[in-house]
Amino acid sequence: MRVLVVEDARDMNRLIVKTLTRAGYSVDGCYNGEEALDCLLGAAYDAIILDVMMPRMDGYELLRRLREQGVDTPVLFLTARDTVADRVKGLDLGADDYLIKPFDFDELLARIRAMTRKHTGLRSNLLTLGDLTVDTQRHTAARAGQEIALLPKEFAILEYMMRNQGIVLSREQLENQIWNYEYAGSSNNIDVYISKLRKKIDGGHDTRLLHTIRGVGWVLRAEDEKGTT
């Protein structure tokens, strides 16, 4: 999943970004609310980690603007302000969760998983399609009970496609979701990853799950349909 970290303390920002990246997320970091708005105009995020006290635009104002614009991306407030009034204000503005500094990174990761599950209507960390299962917490995948060895980017692509199974995803959608703004790789990287992912998922199985829609993109679904390869 893609996460935006909005935190003005640069050392803390870098530490959060590094931790989430190691956990398999695609992460962008910025240092105030105005920068965050620019990021949100250019990409879709699955979660926002948002500090309250920031220069130029604080977290409360940023969240207020996002909710007024109809943006329903899950938001976790991360702040040293721990009074009941502060928590109530953030939740009333539309925050999904609230974590007080200092915090444990394992708890931060657990809260991100919980609020994104709630947002997508999931009750567990397991995603399934036919005999394919993906555990988003353990970062493992298996088909017909056999574990599939995946590289981090392969897993990120598979997780995103599993969360959007049945929906045709374009190259641009996959690139925007999997890589952050600092990415400057080859434009055919997605094709290479999809090719490797297809071999790992569908190799040796009669039912194909990963399909190419000519001229459009790729889709995960359990049945072949006209126009797919």
Side-chain angles (χ1 to χ4, degrees), residues 90-122:
L91 294 170
D92 282 346
L93 284 170
D96 296 83
D97 203 351
Y98 216 104
L99 190 58
I100 305 300
K101 301 175 183 176
F103 57 88
D104 185 276
F105 278 101
D106 286 339
E107 182 178 4
L108 173 62
L109 292 171
R111 286 176 180 263
I112 292 172
R113 291 192 297 267
M115 74 177 187
T116 52
R117 282 201 309 268
K118 182 178 179 181
H119 185 69
T120 56
L122 298 173

Side-chain angles (χ1 to χ4, degrees), residues 205-226:
H205 297 277
D206 294 331
T207 302
R208 293 183 301 165
L209 300 178
L210 179 51
H211 307 278
T212 299
I213 310 301
R214 297 184 186 91
V216 183
W218 301 273
V219 61
L220 270 181
R221 60 182 173 221
E223 72 283 347
D224 293 336
E225 292 187 8
K226 186 177 181 180

Side-chain angles (χ1 to χ4, degrees), residues 118-129:
K118 182 178 179 181
H119 185 69
T120 56
L122 298 173
R123 291 185 176 272
S124 76
N125 296 308
L126 290 178
L127 305 173
T128 62
L129 175 63

Side-chain angles (χ1 to χ4, degrees), residues 7-207:
E7 163 67 65
D8 67 315
R10 292 179 180 267
D11 288 344
M12 175 61 73
N13 191 308
R14 286 191 289 266
L15 185 56
I16 296 172
V17 169
K18 184 177 181 180
T19 300
L20 295 185
T21 301
R22 284 181 174 176
Y25 295 99
S26 175
V27 190
D28 293 312
C30 58
Y31 303 105
N32 61 66
E34 292 181 359
E35 290 180 359
L37 283 177
D38 290 338
C39 290
L40 289 160
L41 286 173
Y45 293 91
D46 299 287
I48 301 171
I49 309 303
L50 181 59
D51 189 22
V52 172
M53 301 304 295
M54 296 183 295
R56 298 168 66 178
M57 184 190 301
D58 66 22
Y60 291 143
E61 176 62 16
L62 173 60
L63 180 58
R64 185 187 65 79
R65 293 192 186 189
L66 292 178
R67 295 306 189 234
E68 285 181 351
Q69 294 170 11
V71 177
D72 65 348
T73 305
V75 170
L76 170 65
F77 267 132
L78 204 61
T79 179
R81 302 182 63 166
D82 61 353
T83 68
V84 173
D86 289 325
R87 295 197 296 273
V88 168
K89 181 177 181 180
L91 294 170
D92 282 346
L93 284 170
D96 296 83
D97 203 351
Y98 216 104
L99 190 58
I100 305 300
K101 301 175 183 176
F103 57 88
D104 185 276
F105 278 101
D106 286 339
E107 182 178 4
L108 173 62
L109 292 171
R111 286 176 180 263
I112 292 172
R113 291 192 297 267
M115 74 177 187
T116 52
R117 282 201 309 268
K118 182 178 179 181
H119 185 69
T120 56
L122 298 173
R123 291 185 176 272
S124 76
N125 296 308
L126 290 178
L127 305 173
T128 62
L129 175 63
D131 58 356
L132 175 65
T133 60
V134 172
D135 189 322
T136 62
Q137 180 177 359
R138 293 187 172 87
H139 279 232
T140 59
R143 183 157 187 196
Q146 296 296 314
E147 187 168 346
I148 303 169
L150 297 174
L151 297 173
K153 288 301 182 188
E154 292 171 347
F155 183 88
I157 293 170
L158 177 59
E159 180 185 352
Y160 181 56
M161 296 188 76
M162 285 287 282
R163 291 181 183 276
N164 293 276
Q165 55 186 268
I167 299 173
V168 180
L169 301 170
S170 68
R171 178 181 287 102
E172 182 180 15
Q173 285 176 297
L174 288 168
E175 287 178 345
N176 287 341
Q177 184 70 20
I178 303 305
W179 281 281
N180 60 27
Y181 283 121
E182 297 176 357
Y183 173 72
S186 170
S187 61
N188 72 339
N189 260 357
I190 285 291
D191 302 73
V192 174
Y193 278 113
I194 289 289
S195 177
K196 292 179 179 179
L197 195 56
R198 188 198 307 273
K199 291 177 182 178
K200 292 183 178 183
I201 292 174
D202 288 338
H205 297 277
D206 294 331
T207 302

